[in-house]
Structures are given as C-alpha cells and as structure tokens.
C-alpha cells in the first residue's frame, strides 16, 4: 500500500530551490516562510527507490548548455519547439534532468509517453539480460517473419490489458499510423458489410479507390489521413490537403459541473444531434460515414471532457447508423485515468469496435473486434508493423503497473492533484478556471494564451515541467508513479507562483 | 580488401543440405554430382566471423513449430502473410534461422531492412555498453526535449551520409510517416512560395484546408496520404478512400537494354511527356502539382528501372514547373545499389529537394534543402519524431559500412549476382527474363505469378529466402555484408532448382 510509505516532507530540497532562484533572479519568496498559501501541509518524501526527492535548479531553463545545443540543432532542422535538452542518463522516476544540471518534477512526461518514470530499474534489468539483446538489434518485418515469442509477448503485454470484447490486436510504429490503419480496417469492414460477402471481385480490385467514405469526429494525430479529422492547432493543418470528412463538435462543458447540469446536458445533446445530422447530410451527398472516432478526453484540442452518458449515446448512434465506433486512446490509454483505458469508465454495454493506442504503450497499434479483421493478408501491412523490442518493454511495464497497483495510485494521486487544483481555483479564480480531470489526467484553463505560457515558464524555472493544450489550458500528464506527495510538492510550488503572479 | 579473404567453397554444408532434403522429400539431386549446371565453380567460405558457412535445412518451411505458432498468432490477427517464425537469437550475418532449426541464406533481409546482417557483433557491443541503456529505455519526445547527444548522433549517422545539397534532416518512426511528412514539407514550401512571404495571415490560419494540391508519381508506401500515390498491389488500396493526386507511369523497359535502345528511349520519353501533361492538365482543373515523387527503382511495383537520363530529365521537369523533386529512397537507400543513395548514380546537377528514407537506415525520416524547412515550430511534428536508440544504432551501422568498405562490396557482390543471373537467363529463358539490377538490388521476371511463387517456395526449402514484387518478379534484397561467395552459393542452389523445375 503506497500510502503507508508516505512520510512528512522536510522541505529541504524545496527550500534550496527557492533560495537558489532567489539568489539568481532576485525574486521575493517571503511567502515560503508564511506557509498559509500552501495547499498541503504534508508533502511526502520519496517512496520509489530510484526517484529523486525533489527538484534542484541551477540555472534558468533553458540554461546556457541547452541554448548552445538548440543553436546547433537549429542548423539542421527547425528547433524552435525545443524546450531544453535533457540528460536522460541522470533522469530518474518523476524527475527530468536537463543538460545544465537542473532537475525538474516532470508532469508532462514526454507528452504523456513515459509510463513508469525515467530509468526504471525493471527496464534497466530487462536491457541487461543477454537473452534480450537480439530483440533490440534484429528488427523483423513482423507481418511476414515474426520472432518465436511474438504471440506470447503480445499476450503478456497488450492482450493482458485488452479492452473488453476486443480479441484482436495489430501493432504499429507510431500513433498516427495506428489511427490511419484503424481507419483502413474500418473502411474494409464497412465495404465487406455492404457487399454481404468477403470475396472481392476482379472489377473491384481493378477500380478500388472508394472516395466516398469518411470517418466522423475529433482527434489530434498528424498524418495526412489523420489530419482530415484533427482538432489540433491550426498550425498543424495549414497548407496540407485533406479529405472531405465530416467533423462534429466535442462538447464544451461549463464548470463546476454541478452548477451547470442542465446546460451541459443540452450541450452534449446538441453535439450528439450534430453527429446524427452529419451522417444523414453526408449520405444525402452520396458520401458514407463508415465510422465515428472520438477521444475519451479530447487532449490536444484543450482537454475537453464529456459525461459517460454522452459517450454511451455516441456509441448508440454509431450502432444505429451502422458506423464503426473507434475510441482513440493514444493519449488517454495506459492507466493515467485510473483505469487502463479511459473508455472503461463509460460502462458500455456494447464494447467499442476499435481502440487505438501509442505513447505510454511504447508501441502504436489498435485493438479490434473479430469482425474488423482484414479478410486477406497484406491488407493492413507495412515493413515493420511495430517493433518487438517495444512489446518486450511493454510486457515489463504492465508487470510493474500490476505489481505496484499503479491504476489505483493514479486514482488516488489524481484526487490529491484535483483537490489541490480546485482549492487553488477558489483562491485564484482570475488565473485558474474550469479545473477538471480523471485520475492524474487533469487540467485547468488560464485567462489566455500569454498567461498560460508565462505560468508554464515560471513553473519550469521553479523546477516543474508542465504542458499546454488547446488555446489556454494547462494539462497534467505525469507518469504512473506520480504519487500524492508529488502532487503536494507541485501544489506548493504552484501556489507560490500564483500568489506572486503579476 | 574483402576479396583477398575469399577461399574455395568446400561444398560440404551444401551437400548436407541436399542430402538432408533428399532423405526427407525423396527428391532427385543427380545434378549435384554432375556440376555442369553450376554457375560458379568457386563459391567461397565465410569471411565474416559471425556469419554461418551455409544453409542447413531440417524440415520443410514452414516447419511444424512455425505452423503451430502461425495458428496461435492467427487467433489474434490475420497471420496469413507470415512465411515462418524466426529464431533471431540464432540468426547471424546473412543467415536467418527459423524456429524449426532451419538455417537459410537470407536474400530478402526483412524486406530490405537489415543493413549489416543479423546479430552483428558491433551492435551487440553497443547494446552491452552501460552508457547506452538510457537511450533504449527513456524514449523522448524529440521535437521538444531531445537528449544531449541528439545533434551529435545525427551528424555521426544520417548527416555523415546526407545526399549532396541536403543539409536538413528530420527523423520519423516509419517509412510511410517519412513520406507523409515529406509531402507536408513540400506543401508548406509550395504555399510559402506562392505567398511570396513566410508570414501566415490570420485568415489563412482560420481556413487552412488547401485541397487543391497534390504530388505526382509513383511509390509504394501505405498510409492514407501515401496510398494516394502508391503503385503497389491493388489489395493494399482496396476500399480505402484516397486523394485525387495524379499518377504518372513508370517506364517499362525492355531487356536486354542494348537490344532495345531506341524503344526504351521512346518509352522514357512517353513517360516524361505524361508527367508534363498531368501537371498542365491538373493546373487547368485548378489543381496544383506541388511536387513529383519517384523511387530510383520502383520496388514494390516490380523492380522497374529507368535510365539515369530519365531521372535527370524528370528533375528538369520538376524545376521547370516549380514542383519539388522528392526521391523516395526508403527501399533503395542505405548502400545496396553500390552508392549510399541510389539517386547518386544519376549525376544530378541540381540536387533532389527532398529524400526520404527508412528500412536499412533503422529510422524513418527525410533530408531536405534549406528552403524546405518549416518556417514555424510544430509544423512537422508528432510525439516521438523517430527514436534516438535507432540513431545510435545507425551511427554504428554507418561506421561498419565505412570501415568494411561495404558500398564497394555491394557493387562487387552485385556484379557476381547479376552476371550469374544473366547466365541463368541464357540457359533458362522460359523461366527467367528481364534480369536487371544495380549493386545487389537485382531482380528478374518469371513467366507468371504461380511460377514465381513456386520458385520462391522451392528455394526456401533449399535454404534460400527470396522475395517477390510486382506481379511476377523475384527481387534480391540481401544485407550489405552479402559477398561474392554468397552470390555463388545462391546461384548454385538456384541453378539446380531451375534445372529440375517442372
């Protein structure tokens, strides 16, 4: 039980950080000694052996070494998105160390893609076992020449956490390939259903471009097929040709939810109606909506949530109109919401048809029902089709998640984080609004883009890495070994930032 | 100098193989003792320490263990494309070992994606070095938080072999993402060129779907954006919606080239004319051809070659019409044609604008000229943007290629292979035609699909893994450590197969 190990936070490292910054930047930290602005009186010490016990800042971030490296990288590619350069050898647990020796509590974890923290001892051990070497250096073409343990590792890893009702799985090398290939599986399923048979005629093979199908909804991946459906930032889509696929709105809920029950129900009803309208409208144009894709929490688009009821009704609409129901769990999957898959919270009677994943799963890919299985070889195919070394690591990661009860941890630590954020919202309503979250997958809005970015920058210089999403949100994407005491540590630091924010 | 180490082939292992099969399948191998059908009298022994010295067959392929595993895999995904299951731990050099203990000379090398053979000692050593562990277990979001040695490793690996004139490089996780993101870079470049400035107006950001652009030509990757341009098998495209992008024909040359000089010139001129016609035709439809993509050897489409002059003229057409010139080196890149990039054979005055890669390069990605650099961060972006562990391995692979002079080896061994194939063609013209190749990137046609597949199956049971492409071709895609003696070994086995083919 992780909470038995929580002990009282000494504040030593934390003081060091603030004093260090005080000296360097001449900021005032009187509040550190007043204490009343701290959300938590009992931030905790480390309870994971390999984790550090707090941030440790030596320079502004990016520091001089990072800036030097950014300049070099910028010579060979646009490096303007780089935050700073990292020393991954020294990064451990929830702490990311940069090349200037700054150690930061990482609540963004490589855009939500580090499952059990940096340099986890189990993964180091895995790499050190001689029998695993071959998996890392002999990368096969999985679709034609899989390794002996391929199926076994899929059972140990992906299939051991497969969403209910989805017995089939394909692996892919990244998130956008996962969604693109899931679309392909859906189109094939739809056309086979239309044909009423699985045999393709010669005529069909010879004129096989079916441009009259699309997928409805909202998600952020970045391939050309995927771009047709993205609600991500405009800069991702600018100048890129796209398919004419219908896009429906994701509900925009008002917070606190308990004060806006009726408004939010209306908003969700409006969005569901638009989905049905789009299906009908496109059918009138002789265009087919073969499927509906949705993220359980619309992530890049600004961490938008909807009720479980909304998703159950969306699933019903998909079934009613003969559309496949695809749940994009690329960002929400892997346990951060307190269940392995965020859509498990919905309590669907009829499972999703297809579920895509990547990021924390270390490999991309998708689960699907048996009826979505391609009816011939090579229909879902590319050279690598994923990477067995990622499956090997994922099997170990899932073992750690189970052994250390990390799903319950995400629920518990998420509650500590959310409670603290709500408290900050009550105290700083001009800076923080719409606090929301499930497990540690939390977020809040700031007044505008400029304030958001300023808060992220200040937090970073105080030893906390945060991420933004949408046009004004800050999102939390910690690892699964993020505990209550990390939440308290963050809340203390952030409370201080808000108190001093100008 | 590798050829100093070539010694006379003893034939021992080879005899064992045939005798073993003789006992098992009751085939007749009288020719083994007659010798006259052997192309080479002097096949060579191993000259790479870790390589095996010949095939060793114990069962039919797929053997009982493979068939058992195929059944299991088929329970969770369509496994009909699987050839057999592999024991990668036992696979070494040019030899792929399967789960039934069969050891085969691998001339397909995981669809051309194993650069320096299985279990190369340099890569094993790399994995064993403790300082490299972190790179394998802490996978970063490269676009925002790169590791300290990121730029340095790119210089040691990709940039040390960058095509002339291309100073910029982006990494991606797989081949289709590489082409898709290269398209995106081209569209952005084209639109910026049209605008005459790099600043995007607010109106443009708000209505940013530019569906009037496409890319011309021919290649085989399998994303939805990529599918718009693929000339791969119809089964890859069936039922998948696609963009309206123009597709021009790849020249279909007649062999032997010296007998059809005029016809082939006319064929190439016809194809070039069609490219220009398509650009004009699409412009009349108010559609823009932003770029031209071509493979130096059209691989999945059937190993189609064209003259260096054809490509130089194609490059001129691209420039004349303001189109970007993208060379897809996913399959041809990495040294197998005897130059690191196949398009280096063309002697272009003006370099290609963009060159994509994957497979043997271990990471996907693309090189480009500075003018194709995105003018803002996040325009070419996804979570992983490749994988530094692949860059680390690639740096080592390139070191081996240079130290062991493997480009010259590909030229030399390719010549041995091609000469032998031409000899076989002379003797079995009813089975082998259109022998062609550059370096070890060789191929020939068979009379039809059934004959091709039968030849591949027989060869596999005799200890040689071959691959097919197009509707009737057999392609050679050995590793870069494939030597003359491997060519002779193959030619001996294949000569025997052809002599007995019914």
């Amino acid at each position: 039980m992780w909470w038995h190990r929580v002990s009282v936070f000494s504040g030593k490292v934390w003081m060091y950080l603030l004093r260090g910054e005080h000296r360097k930047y001449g900021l005032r930290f009187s509040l550190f000694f007043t204490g009343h602005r701290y959300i938590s009186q009992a931030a905790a010490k480390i309870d994971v052996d390999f984790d550090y016990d707090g941030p440790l800042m030596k320079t502004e971030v990016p520091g001089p070494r990072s800036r030097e490296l950014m300049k070099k990288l910028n010579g060979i590619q646009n490096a303007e998105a780089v935050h700073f350069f990292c020393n991954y050898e020294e990064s451990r647990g929830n702490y990311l160390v940069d090349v200037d020796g700054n150690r930061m509590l990482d609540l963004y974890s490589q855009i939500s893609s580090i499952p059990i923290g940096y340099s986890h001892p189990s993964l180091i051990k895995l790499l050190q076992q001689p029998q695993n070497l071959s998996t890392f250096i002999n990368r096969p073409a999985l679709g034609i020449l899989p390794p002996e343990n391929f199926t076994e590792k899929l059972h140990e890893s992906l299939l051991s956490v497969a969403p209910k009702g989805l017995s089939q799985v394909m692996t892919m090398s990244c998130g956008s390939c996962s969604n693109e290939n899931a679309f392909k599986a859906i189109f094939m399923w739809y056309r086979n259903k239309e044909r009423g048979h699985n045999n393709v005629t010669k005529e069909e093979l010879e004129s096989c471009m079916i441009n009259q199908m699309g997928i409805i909804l909202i998600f952020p991946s970045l391939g050309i097929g995927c771009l047709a459906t993205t609600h991500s930032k405009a800069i991702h889509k600018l100048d890129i040709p796209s398919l004419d696929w219908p896009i429906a709105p994701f509900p925009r809920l008002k917070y606190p939810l308990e004060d806006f029950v009726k408004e939010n129900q209306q908003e969700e009803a409006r969005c569901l109606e638009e989905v049905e309208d789009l299906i009908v409208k496109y059918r009138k144009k002789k265009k087919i909506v073969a499927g509906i894709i949705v993220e359980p929490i619309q992530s890049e688009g600004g961490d938008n949530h909807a009720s479980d009821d909304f998703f159950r009704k969306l699933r019903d609409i998909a079934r009613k109109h003969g559309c496949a129901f695809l749940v994009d769990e690329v960002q929400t999957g892997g346990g951060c919401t307190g269940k392995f898959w965020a859509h498990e919270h919905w309590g669907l009677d009829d499972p999703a048809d297809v579920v895509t994943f990547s990021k924390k799963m270390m490999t991309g890919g998708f689960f699907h029902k048996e009826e979505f299985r391609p009816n011939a070889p090579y229909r879902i195919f590319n050279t690598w089709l994923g990477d067995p070394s990622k499956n090997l690591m994922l099997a170990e990661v899932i073992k750690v998640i189970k052994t250390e009860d990390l799903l319950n941890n995400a629920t518990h630590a998420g509650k500590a984080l959310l409670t603290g954020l709500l408290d900050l919202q009550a105290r700083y309503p001009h800076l923080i609004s719409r606090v929301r979250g499930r497990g540690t997958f939390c977020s809040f809005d700031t007044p505008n883009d400029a304030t958001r970015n300023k808060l992220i920058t200040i937090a970073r210089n105080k030893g906390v890495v945060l991420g933004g999403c949408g046009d004004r949100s800050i999102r939390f994407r910690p690892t699964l070994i993020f505990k209550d005491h990390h939440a308290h540590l963050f809340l203390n630091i952030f409370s201080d930032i808000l108190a001093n924010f100008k």
Side-chain angles (χ1 to χ4, degrees), chain A residues 77-345:
Chain A
Q77 58 183 229
N78 184 317
E80 291 170 61
V82 171
H83 300 169
F84 50 86
F85 275 77
C86 303
N87 181 341
Y88 288 104
E89 291 74 20
E90 292 296 321
S91 299
R92 293 212 303 265
N94 289 282
Y95 290 88
L96 179 58
V97 176
D98 78 0
V99 292
D100 290 284
N102 300 297
R103 182 207 298 159
M104 291 159 270
L105 177 65
D106 188 0
L107 306 185
Y108 196 35
S109 63
Q110 310 296 323
I111 321 181
S112 204
S113 69
I114 299 289
I116 53 172
Y118 297 103
S119 307
H120 196 286
S122 301
L123 293 179
I124 292 178
K125 211 171 139 195
L126 190 86
L127 258 286
Q128 285 170 332
Q129 284 161 351
Q131 73 268 27
N132 292 331
L133 282 180
S134 165
T135 305
F136 288 87
I137 61 173
N138 296 318
R139 186 177 189 178
L142 275 174
I144 56 170
L145 296 163
E148 181 157 21
N149 67 0
F150 181 51
T151 315
E152 184 190 325
K153 281 291 157 203
L154 286 178
H155 277 287
E156 274 180 42
S157 58
L158 291 164
L159 290 165
S160 78
V161 294
K164 203 182 77 179
L166 308 192
S167 63
Q168 307 288 302
V169 69
M170 288 295 298
T171 49
M172 292 287 155
S173 295
C174 65
S176 61
C177 285
S178 305
N179 275 318
E180 291 226 354
N181 282 282
F183 294 170
K184 287 165 68 176
I186 287 172
F187 292 131
M188 292 170 191
W189 162 83
Y190 195 94
R191 294 274 297 152
N192 279 340
K193 204 169 52 135
E194 278 188 326
R195 281 181 202 110
H197 62 85
N198 266 351
N199 299 321
V200 176
T201 65
K202 197 160 170 284
E203 288 68 35
E204 285 172 322
L205 263 178
E206 281 167 4
S207 70
C208 59
M209 291 324 221
I210 309 305
N211 287 321
Q212 305 311 316
M213 289 193 296
I215 300 263
I216 262 190
L217 267 191
I218 305 168
F219 83 114
S221 299
L222 305 171
I224 283 178
C226 289
L227 274 174
T229 58
T230 188
H231 267 199
S232 196
K233 300 176 190 76
I235 195 72
H236 291 311
K237 298 205 279 188
L238 185 72
D239 298 342
I240 312 300
S242 174
L243 296 160
D244 174 25
W245 288 2
I247 299 179
F250 199 100
R252 170 88 185 164
L253 302 188
K254 287 187 175 158
Y255 291 81
L257 295 176
E258 56 274 23
D259 294 350
F260 296 97
V261 174
K262 206 179 154 195
E263 288 88 338
N264 288 337
Q265 275 173 356
Q266 282 170 346
E267 168 66 359
E268 293 192 342
R270 179 188 74 87
C271 292
L272 291 169
E273 207 181 303
E274 191 149 336
V275 171
E276 288 209 76
D277 285 352
L278 280 168
I279 295 172
V280 174
K281 189 182 131 200
Y282 270 69
R283 288 207 173 141
K284 276 191 189 145
K285 290 203 286 177
K286 302 273 176 230
K287 298 215 171 191
I288 294 160
V289 176
I292 295 176
I293 175 170
V294 70
E295 287 181 287
I297 299 162
Q298 191 201 25
S299 306
E300 298 299 321
D303 263 32
N304 293 311
H305 292 247
S307 70
D308 297 341
D309 184 60
F310 169 82
F311 292 106
R312 286 192 296 264
K313 284 179 177 154
L314 192 62
R315 205 281 163 261
D316 289 343
I317 289 173
R319 191 190 311 100
K320 178 179 157 195
H321 292 279
C323 305
F325 188 56
L326 193 174
V327 181
D328 173 355
E329 293 254 22
V330 167
Q331 190 149 172
T332 50
C336 44
T337 66
K339 292 190 184 286
F340 206 94
W341 304 104
H343 78 276
E344 292 176 52
H345 290 282

Side-chain angles (χ1 to χ4, degrees), chain A residues 11 17 20 38-39 114 129 150 177 205 214 219 275 303-304 315 336 353-354 356 366-367 399 409 425 431 465 467 490:
Chain A
L17 154 71
Y38 291 97
I39 295 297
I114 299 289
Q129 284 161 351
F150 181 51
C177 285
L205 263 178
F219 83 114
V275 171
D303 263 32
N304 293 311
R315 205 281 163 261
C336 44
D353 293 313
V354 184
T356 53
F366 57 104
F367 295 105
K399 207 192 288 175
N409 175 66
Q425 176 178 262
L431 290 173
V465 178
F490 159 73

Side-chain angles (χ1 to χ4, degrees), chain A residues 468-486:
Chain A
C469 64
D471 57 3
R472 66 178 73 178
S473 304
I474 286 181
R475 58 176 154 174
F476 295 84
R477 297 292 187 273
T479 71
L480 298 171
I481 58 162
F482 172 85
K483 305 288 172 85
D484 285 35
H485 68 87
H486 298 108

